[in-house]
Amino acid sequence: QDLAVRLTDDTDPFFLYNLVISEEDFQSLKSQQGLLVDFSAFPQKFIDLLQQCIQEQNKDIPRFLLQLVSSAPALDHAPVSLNVVETNPFKHLTHLSLKFLPGTDAEIKKFLANCLKCLKEDKMMLEEKLKKTEEDLTRQLSYTQQSLSEKSRELDKLKNEWTSYTTALSNKHTQELTSEKERALQAQTQYQQQHEQQKKELENLHQKSIQQLQNRLSELEIINKDLTERRYKGDSTVRELKAKLSGLEDECQRAKQEVLSLRRENTTLDAECHEKEKLTNQLQTRVAVLEQEIKDKDQLVTRTKEVLDATQEQKVILEESTEEKQRHIEKLETTIKSLSAELLKANEIIKKLQGDLKTLMSKLKLKNTVTIQQEKLLADKEEKLQKEQRESQEMGQSLRMKEQEVCKLQEQLESTIQKLEESKQLLKTNENVITWLNRQLSEVQMAKKLDSPASAHAAGRAAVSPLSMPDRPSFHSSGISHPVSPLYAFQNFLEPTQSKNGNSQCPVSLSLQVQLNSQLSKLSRCSDAHPANKENGDPLGLESKYLKKKDDSIPLRGLSQNTLSSEYLRPYLPAKAQPSAKAAATPSAYFPG
């Protein structure tokens, strides 16, 4: 691959310099000028440098310059070097310098031939465009001239019709004017009489309305006082509600953020919808415009026909009315002569009445201005009252909602207080049970310590050697290694004696253990019947703090329902020592507290 660069001048067609750079030539140029670009990227970088020179050529102090330097005094077929120079206040740096060779006669001829070919092709294209534009313009001229001639004819027709129509209308209006003048004189007299009657009626109505408004004002002032008192009460409730609103506003802000994200999605969808709606609206407007034009033309035709029919009918009616009016005019001329003397007298009376009317009208205007001002003040007060009534209604609704919430909270409080009291009672009973059990266990343990040597000898003679009796058994499976209470050891001690002496009687002291075991079974059943409410978090029964191991007390794990059950010890007890149903049912028999 080779890179070919050509220098030309539009003003001088014989100015031609060529440069052909191969990969080997580029490597030598790269080593000489210290370039950091490969051969593949060199053309684009060279173009970028030229564009920077073009951008800064119009500046006063350009940063990049192109210099064409030749060894000969004039450019007469001598080799030339093209330098890309960057100007600094300190130094002129040459980024790139390329040596161009002048073109031979054959190369110049080829270049000129190519230029001629391009110019001829451009000329042919322009000529074709000219012909097309001339043809289009001639067509448009002919079409516009035809349309002009048609519209000028239509104008002439319309002018002729308009002149005929105006003459007919002028004749018609003159006749109508004469008849309306007569009617106006008759109407004037009637209006004067009506005006006097209306004047009296309005004065009476005005006085009544003033009294009603004064009564209404007094009522409104009383209502206003009541509303101000309610407003102060509402303000106090609003302040309390604002504190609650602050918590709700935080939740609203979170909801608003979600709404904003949804609105952004909606805006994208709305933009698409608006574009489609615009297209449909444009098409609908075009259809509507065309339909309106058709309707307007139809209406014009129908109106012109109606006008013609009406004018013909009016002509016939007017001819008949003119004959009758001429007869009537002859009669009226005789009466006018007699009435002229009376009219002179009436005019003098009318002038006096007109003076009185002017004075009355001035008084009426003053009264009207006063009433208008009062009506405006009343309207303003009514608007204010309506606003206050709306605010009071809204506050009443909000107060009702809050009262409902307060009732619900009170019910929840009562339920929680009842649960607390029940749990306190259970705790008290549990504490009494635990204290009594600890006392009984300590007493039993002390009694066993005293009776242990005698019972050990008796057991060794009867069944087993003392080496086979475990004093402190351990639960390997459960991981319990602390000492077990002596009741558990006593229970294990009774098992071999049962096998040898099935009908033997135990001492009476075992009845106390049976009573303890029956009471423990009752407690376990109560705890099963009243489990902890996990949802409300209200523990019912013994808490974990009462089951912790104490230093003074004996551990309760030896007193489980399985090890000390009354059913297990029942065959070893006499009939008198077994607990009765009443004693097992009543806790007062076992718990002195």
Side-chain angles (χ1 to χ4, degrees), residues 136-149:
D136 292 333
L137 288 167
T138 52
R139 286 173 189 171
Q140 288 176 1
L141 257 174
S142 61
Y143 179 71
T144 50
Q145 285 174 356
Q146 288 175 1
S147 63
L148 259 173
S149 62

Side-chain angles (χ1 to χ4, degrees), residues 74-190:
L75 297 169
D76 292 334
H77 299 287
V80 171
S81 62
L82 183 69
N83 298 326
V84 179
V85 180
E86 184 181 358
T87 61
N88 283 328
F90 181 69
K91 188 182 178 182
H92 291 284
L93 296 170
T94 57
H95 287 286
L96 186 66
S97 66
L98 300 172
K99 286 184 180 180
F100 286 85
L101 296 172
T104 59
D105 293 334
E107 289 175 349
I108 291 164
K109 285 176 183 178
K110 281 182 183 179
F111 175 68
L112 291 169
N114 287 325
C115 290
L116 267 170
K117 192 187 282 185
C118 291
L119 287 167
K120 284 181 180 178
E121 287 175 356
D122 292 335
K123 186 185 174 185
M124 292 290 287
M125 291 286 286
L126 289 167
E127 285 177 351
E128 287 176 358
K129 285 181 182 177
L130 264 172
K131 286 178 182 177
K132 286 179 182 178
T133 51
E134 283 177 355
E135 289 174 357
D136 292 333
L137 288 167
T138 52
R139 286 173 189 171
Q140 288 176 1
L141 257 174
S142 61
Y143 179 71
T144 50
Q145 285 174 356
Q146 288 175 1
S147 63
L148 259 173
S149 62
E150 288 174 359
K151 290 195 174 177
S152 61
R153 290 170 188 170
E154 288 177 358
L155 255 176
D156 295 330
K157 287 179 183 178
L158 289 167
K159 283 179 181 178
N160 294 322
E161 289 175 357
W162 181 251
T163 52
S164 62
Y165 183 67
T166 51
T167 53
L169 282 171
S170 62
N171 293 322
K172 183 181 175 182
H173 286 305
T174 52
Q175 291 173 359
E176 288 176 353
L177 274 168
T178 55
S179 62
E180 283 178 357
K181 281 178 182 178
E182 293 174 355
R183 289 175 188 172
L185 290 169
Q186 293 175 358
Q188 189 175 1
T189 55
Q190 291 177 359

Side-chain angles (χ1 to χ4, degrees), residues 387-543:
K387 287 180 182 178
E388 288 177 354
Q389 285 175 358
R390 288 172 188 169
E391 290 176 356
S392 64
Q393 287 175 359
E394 290 175 357
M395 292 300 293
Q397 289 177 357
S398 62
L399 282 168
R400 287 169 191 168
M401 294 290 286
K402 296 295 174 185
E403 285 175 357
Q404 290 176 0
E405 290 178 358
V406 168
C407 293
K408 289 179 182 177
L409 290 169
Q410 285 177 354
E411 290 175 358
Q412 289 178 359
L413 264 172
E414 289 173 358
S415 63
T416 50
I417 288 162
Q418 288 177 0
K419 288 178 182 177
L420 273 169
E421 289 175 354
E422 290 174 359
S423 62
K424 283 177 182 178
Q425 289 175 1
L426 284 168
L427 282 169
K428 286 178 182 178
T429 53
N430 288 330
E431 285 175 356
N432 292 324
V433 168
I434 288 159
T435 53
W436 187 82
L437 284 170
N438 283 323
R439 287 175 189 171
Q440 293 295 324
L441 285 169
S442 61
E443 288 174 1
V444 169
Q445 193 174 10
M446 292 296 289
K448 290 301 288 180
K449 283 179 181 178
L450 293 169
D451 297 334
S452 61
S455 63
H457 287 295
R461 287 172 193 168
V464 187
S465 64
L467 294 169
S468 64
M469 285 298 293
D471 291 331
R472 292 184 181 181
S474 61
F475 297 92
H476 297 288
S477 62
S478 62
I480 300 167
S481 61
H482 56 79
V484 182
S485 66
L487 289 169
Y488 182 76
F490 183 71
Q491 186 180 351
N492 288 328
F493 179 73
L494 287 170
E495 287 176 5
T497 57
Q498 185 184 0
S499 61
K500 289 185 179 181
N501 298 318
N503 297 318
S504 62
Q505 291 182 356
C506 291
V508 179
S509 63
L510 285 170
S511 65
L512 201 154
Q513 292 177 2
V514 173
Q515 289 175 358
L516 285 171
N517 288 323
S518 64
Q519 187 63 27
L520 285 167
S521 65
K522 279 182 77 180
L523 285 170
S524 66
R525 286 170 192 168
C526 290
S527 65
D528 291 331
H530 300 285
N533 192 358
K534 292 181 181 178
E535 293 178 357
N536 296 322
D538 298 325
L540 299 173
L542 287 172
E543 290 183 359

Side-chain angles (χ1 to χ4, degrees), residues 528-583:
D528 291 331
H530 300 285
N533 192 358
K534 292 181 181 178
E535 293 178 357
N536 296 322
D538 298 325
L540 299 173
L542 287 172
E543 290 183 359
S544 60
K545 67 181 182 179
Y546 296 109
L547 298 172
K548 290 180 182 177
K549 184 179 177 183
K550 294 181 180 180
D551 296 331
D552 299 331
S553 64
I554 297 162
L556 291 170
R557 293 187 183 180
L559 294 170
S560 65
Q561 189 178 357
N562 295 322
T563 57
L564 293 172
S565 63
S566 61
E567 291 175 1
Y568 186 80
L569 294 172
R570 193 171 289 169
Y572 300 103
L573 298 172
K576 292 179 181 179
Q578 287 181 1
S580 64
K582 291 179 181 179

Side-chain angles (χ1 to χ4, degrees), residues 232-439:
Y232 288 125
K233 291 178 183 178
D235 290 331
S236 62
T237 54
V238 166
R239 287 171 188 168
E240 293 175 357
L241 293 170
K242 279 180 180 177
K244 294 179 182 178
L245 270 174
S246 61
L248 294 170
E249 282 176 356
D250 296 329
E251 294 178 359
C252 283
Q253 287 177 357
R254 293 173 188 169
K256 281 177 182 177
Q257 289 176 357
E258 294 177 358
V259 169
L260 286 169
S261 62
L262 293 170
R263 280 180 181 172
R264 288 171 185 169
E265 293 177 359
N266 283 327
T267 49
T268 55
L269 295 170
D270 289 332
E272 293 177 358
C273 289
H274 284 305
E275 289 176 356
K276 290 179 181 178
E277 285 176 358
K278 284 178 183 177
L279 291 170
T280 53
N281 288 324
Q282 287 175 358
L283 295 170
Q284 286 175 359
T285 50
R286 287 180 184 174
V287 171
V289 168
L290 292 169
E291 288 177 353
Q292 284 179 356
E293 288 178 355
I294 291 162
K295 287 177 182 177
D296 292 333
K297 288 179 181 178
D298 292 333
Q299 287 175 359
L300 282 168
V301 171
T302 52
R303 284 175 185 172
T304 51
K305 287 179 180 178
E306 289 174 356
V307 169
L308 282 168
D309 295 331
T311 50
Q312 287 176 358
E313 289 175 358
Q314 285 176 357
K315 275 183 182 180
V316 175
I317 292 162
L318 287 167
E319 286 174 355
E320 292 175 355
S321 63
T322 50
E323 290 176 356
E324 290 176 357
K325 284 177 181 179
Q326 282 177 358
R327 293 171 187 170
H328 188 66
I329 286 161
E330 290 175 354
K331 291 177 182 179
L332 288 169
E333 283 177 353
T334 55
T335 55
I336 285 163
K337 289 177 182 178
S338 60
L339 289 168
S340 59
E342 293 177 358
L343 278 169
L344 292 168
K345 293 177 182 178
N347 285 324
E348 291 175 356
I349 294 162
I350 286 163
K351 285 177 182 179
K352 290 178 182 178
L353 290 168
Q354 283 177 353
D356 296 330
L357 266 172
K358 285 178 182 178
T359 54
L360 289 168
M361 288 295 285
S362 61
K363 289 178 182 178
L364 269 172
K365 284 179 182 178
L366 287 168
K367 288 180 181 179
N368 286 323
T369 51
V370 172
T371 52
I372 288 161
Q373 288 177 357
Q374 288 177 353
E375 286 174 356
K376 285 180 180 178
L377 290 168
L378 285 168
D380 293 331
K381 286 182 179 179
E382 285 176 355
E383 287 178 357
K384 289 178 181 177
L385 281 168
Q386 287 175 359
K387 287 180 182 178
E388 288 177 354
Q389 285 175 358
R390 288 172 188 169
E391 290 176 356
S392 64
Q393 287 175 359
E394 290 175 357
M395 292 300 293
Q397 289 177 357
S398 62
L399 282 168
R400 287 169 191 168
M401 294 290 286
K402 296 295 174 185
E403 285 175 357
Q404 290 176 0
E405 290 178 358
V406 168
C407 293
K408 289 179 182 177
L409 290 169
Q410 285 177 354
E411 290 175 358
Q412 289 178 359
L413 264 172
E414 289 173 358
S415 63
T416 50
I417 288 162
Q418 288 177 0
K419 288 178 182 177
L420 273 169
E421 289 175 354
E422 290 174 359
S423 62
K424 283 177 182 178
Q425 289 175 1
L426 284 168
L427 282 169
K428 286 178 182 178
T429 53
N430 288 330
E431 285 175 356
N432 292 324
V433 168
I434 288 159
T435 53
W436 187 82
L437 284 170
N438 283 323
R439 287 175 189 171

